[in-house]
Amino acid sequence: MYKREFTAWYRRMSVVYGIGAWSVLGSLFYYNRTMAKSSDRKDGLTTETPGEVSEHPKGFYVETVIIYKEDFVPITEKILNYWKSWTGGPGAEP
């Protein structure tokens, strides 16, 4: 009886998985086709892609400033030292 129940459950889950997988693939295919058609109709004169900008705006820039503290210890090093203290390896050095 147990094997029969497992087989029935396995078949049901296989059907659910198959329906889900084919639905995702079908919707991706449909979405790609509709997006290709809409971009052809929308502007047939421009060869530029929507995400591509021909010129950068003037005065636009990004500046990144990284400030380190004098006695800064990265979190990864703290975790590693804690792990080593539990596993018997050399811990933090004084």
Side-chain angles (χ1 to χ4, degrees):
M1 187 73 162
Y2 178 73
K3 186 177 181 181
R4 198 177 272 174
E5 290 173 1
F6 176 76
T7 305
W9 178 84
Y10 182 79
R11 286 184 181 157
R12 279 187 223 126
M13 291 302 110
S14 296
V15 168
V16 169
Y17 177 79
I19 290 171
W22 283 109
S23 298
V24 168
L25 290 174
S27 63
L28 285 174
F29 179 74
Y30 176 76
Y31 179 75
N32 286 336
R33 299 255 325 198
T34 56
M35 289 303 292
K37 287 180 182 178
S38 67
S39 67
D40 289 343
R41 279 189 235 144
K42 199 180 292 181
D43 90 322
L45 301 175
T46 313
T47 59
E48 190 175 293
T49 59
E52 186 179 318
V53 178
S54 59
E55 289 184 23
H56 295 292
K58 295 184 181 186
F60 180 78
Y61 67 95
V62 175
E63 184 177 324
T64 303
V65 178
I66 300 174
I67 301 173
Y68 290 102
K69 296 179 183 176
E70 192 171 320
D71 296 330
F72 179 72
V73 179
I75 190 70
T76 53
E77 191 171 328
K78 290 179 183 179
I79 294 171
L80 185 62
N81 288 336
Y82 181 73
W83 178 261
K84 285 181 179 179
S85 71
W86 278 94
T87 59
E93 297 179 17

